[in-house]
Amino acid sequence: MPAYKSDFMPGDILELFGETYQVIENDGVRGQLIPFPSEEIPPHEVIWAEESGQYLRIGNAELPGPSPCSTGNGTCPTNGRGSPL
């Protein structure tokens, strides 16, 4: 069963139309995604309500570093949850 877009957490691996992405951040309205697997590709922002198609959560992996959500220093906007603090 597909997850709601606001339920995605940093590290989740998503599939959409045969392409895979990793969630870097998700505040419930917007998300930062990178292609997965990725080699130092900057994240791109998506506005969940404007996205066509349904993302399917297919796994979870360690976040590439350094990013606010991968360092564990408390500055991640979602603090490891799918919605903002």
Side-chain angles (χ1 to χ4, degrees), residues 12-13 20 35 37 42 45 53 66 75 79 81-84:
D12 281 349
I13 308 301
T20 54
E45 181 178 82
T75 61
N79 199 23
R81 295 190 304 265
S83 58

Side-chain angles (χ1 to χ4, degrees), residues 51-76:
E51 289 296 300
S52 61
Q54 180 69 41
Y55 285 94
L56 177 64
R57 184 183 332 195
I58 59 172
N60 192 285
E62 186 175 314
L63 289 169
S67 74
C69 292
S70 70
T71 58
N73 66 8
T75 61
C76 178

Side-chain angles (χ1 to χ4, degrees), residues 1 3-4 7 9 14 21 23-24 27 33-34 43 47 49 57 63-64 68-69 75-77 79 81 83:
M1 179 174 162
Y4 291 103
D7 291 344
M9 296 189 294
L14 311 178
Y21 304 92
V23 177
I24 301 299
D27 71 6
L33 304 178
I34 57 173
I47 300 173
R57 184 183 332 195
L63 289 169
C69 292
T75 61
C76 178
N79 199 23
R81 295 190 304 265
S83 58

Side-chain angles (χ1 to χ4, degrees), residues 20-39:
T20 54
Y21 304 92
Q22 186 172 30
V23 177
I24 301 299
E25 295 178 18
N26 179 9
D27 71 6
V29 176
R30 292 178 173 82
Q32 295 285 327
L33 304 178
I34 57 173
F36 183 83
S38 175
E39 293 290 330

